[in-house]
Amino acid sequence: MDRLDNTIRPYAWGSTTAIPTLLGTEPTGEPQAEMWMGAHPGAPSRTDRGTLAQIIDADPEKELGRASVDKFGPRLPFLLKLLAAGAPLSLQVHPDLAQAKEGYADEERRGVPLDAPHRNYKDANHKPELVCALTEFDGLCGFRAPTETADLLDGLGITSLKPYVDLLRAHPEDAALREVLTAILTADREEMSRTVHEAAAACDRLGGAYAPYADIAHHYPGDPGVLAAMLLNHVRLQPGEALFLGAGIPHAYLNGLGVEIMANSDNVLRCGLTPKHVDVPELLRIVRFEADDPGTLRPEASPDGEEVYDTPIDEFRLSRYVLPEGTAAHDLTLATPQILLCTGGTVRVGPHALTPGGSVFVPAAEKTEVSGSGTLFRATVRT
């Protein structure tokens, strides 16, 4: 197995302190948003044998196992991250597999460069994701019931929002959500900016259920995404709780530290809270206009102490072990590849002693025993 040396991404929305605090290092003063663990070409983990991507490319079947290669090809199909949000991320949605293949092929046919700022599809894969909170973690996930959003907007007392309130009280609900999101994203920018500033001031004054949107508006003044965000459920996760984000579900992370796992893809359609390109027609094609409970996930414990975050995705499977002092050694050998990440205490994985933020890659079928006292996340695949 290989101990991983991982890249930390300095995205502007990242917390300056959360990842350094976990790692026990001094903050640099710069944002540290994500620590990537995996073989993604953008920032593959490093090992004593080369990058993880190079190791897997040299012998995919040995590193990943025959079942994983047969199902997902000769690449690690997931990316594991530490994610530390100090400010809201862009409001976004991801395509399903068929949409990703279609969109990627279309942009390839039209000759849109992969690095073009208006390109939507960087690859032909979907990007379901799961985030598990390590601290209290705030996010937006899925549409709130339209009538509830109508009450929320009506409570702001802003005349220019009255048409949206009336639409949200109309039926059917999916058409109401589509019409309102379309209206927000296609409105005159100057008029919308004035409305957003009015809404932000009202949210700040009212507090309570409006407080998360006041904070979003502080980071993105005048952005139409502030109103789009008010269409969504606000979710506050406690440590150990998780959110699953499937295809077509609009979402944004607002604040907190978590472990995130996703299928290996860069496909993102943005709805707002960003200076980047927003392709409204393509976005509206991808979004699922369904009001739903965001469905906080809690792990399901198995007899051997593994706590599994169950999702309907084959490319990844996330679980954790909370090992109390004096626990006997656990056998974690699997026929699939694993990345093991320590987030608390000290856990020995084979020859490696992991402290918070430490991680290892374990090839398929390699004998793996863990011991010690702490919390260990396990990322692997379903075959």
Side-chain angles (χ1 to χ4, degrees), residues 69-285:
V69 172
D70 285 348
K71 190 164 188 176
F72 306 112
R75 300 289 181 268
L76 189 68
F78 63 82
L79 176 64
L80 185 66
K81 298 179 180 180
L82 280 174
L83 183 146
L89 281 68
S90 62
L91 193 61
Q92 60 190 255
V93 68
H94 306 303
D96 64 26
L97 191 55
Q99 290 165 339
K101 288 179 178 177
E102 180 184 345
Y104 179 78
D106 175 63
E107 289 186 324
E108 286 290 281
R109 276 193 305 270
R110 291 190 285 117
V112 182
L114 269 177
D115 59 354
H118 62 286
R119 174 122 187 185
N120 295 315
Y121 297 95
K122 304 297 178 67
D123 52 71
N125 200 14
H126 61 165
K127 193 188 177 189
E129 54 190 57
L130 174 76
V131 63
C132 176
L134 296 179
T135 64
E136 197 170 75
F137 192 97
D138 282 88
L140 304 173
C141 179
F143 289 109
R144 186 191 288 109
T147 54
E148 293 177 18
T149 301
D151 292 342
L152 192 74
L153 294 180
D154 205 18
L156 294 173
I158 296 171
T159 303
S160 56
L161 291 179
K162 184 68 164 58
Y164 301 150
V165 171
D166 292 342
L167 280 171
L168 288 165
R169 288 182 173 148
H171 291 281
E173 288 190 346
D174 59 344
L177 289 168
R178 178 182 288 275
E179 286 188 51
V180 171
L181 183 61
T182 303
I184 289 170
L185 297 180
T186 58
D188 178 83
R189 294 289 294 196
E190 274 193 35
E191 289 181 15
M192 178 54 67
S193 180
R194 286 193 292 271
T195 297
V196 171
H197 281 295
E198 281 187 73
C203 286
D204 202 37
R205 183 181 69 253
L206 292 166
Y210 294 96
Y213 308 103
D215 185 63
I216 292 169
H218 170 74
H219 289 284
Y220 297 97
D223 192 305
V226 174
L227 290 184
M230 295 188 75
L231 302 175
L232 307 185
N233 296 293
H234 173 242
V235 183
R236 175 162 291 167
L237 301 177
Q238 298 304 314
E241 296 180 334
L243 275 179
F244 172 67
L245 292 312
I249 304 298
H251 62 278
Y253 302 140
L254 304 180
N255 187 66
L257 177 66
V259 174
E260 185 184 36
I261 190 167
M262 61 188 63
N264 221 345
S265 172
D266 283 334
N267 288 326
V268 175
L269 280 299
R270 293 176 180 84
C271 314
L273 310 183
T274 179
K276 295 181 180 179
H277 178 61
V278 177
D279 185 336
V280 175
E282 186 65 9
L283 171 72
L284 296 175
R285 189 177 78 87

Side-chain angles (χ1 to χ4, degrees), residues 32-74:
Q32 298 187 33
E34 296 181 347
M35 186 174 83
W36 287 22
M37 291 157 279
H40 191 285
S45 299
R46 299 168 294 276
T47 79
D48 290 341
R49 296 192 288 154
T51 70
L52 188 54
Q54 290 168 337
I55 291 169
I56 291 170
D57 285 346
D59 195 342
E61 189 168 333
K62 177 180 179 291
E63 302 296 334
L64 305 177
R66 167 52 58 187
S68 181
V69 172
D70 285 348
K71 190 164 188 176
F72 306 112

Side-chain angles (χ1 to χ4, degrees), residues 314-382:
D314 290 338
E315 284 90 342
F316 61 74
R317 178 182 182 274
L318 185 70
S319 62
R320 70 173 184 176
Y321 289 85
V322 180
L323 306 172
E325 191 72 47
T327 302
H330 275 60
D331 184 354
L332 266 59
T333 308
L334 285 178
T336 50
Q338 305 180 68
I339 291 179
L340 302 176
L341 165 69
C342 176
T343 59
T346 301
V347 179
R348 178 162 289 278
V349 182
H352 303 288
L354 302 184
T355 53
S359 58
V360 295
F361 172 76
V362 184
E366 181 162 320
K367 180 69 175 174
T368 309
E369 282 197 344
V370 302
S371 58
S373 173
T375 301
L376 189 73
F377 280 82
R378 172 200 254 179
T380 186
V381 301
R382 299 179 193 273

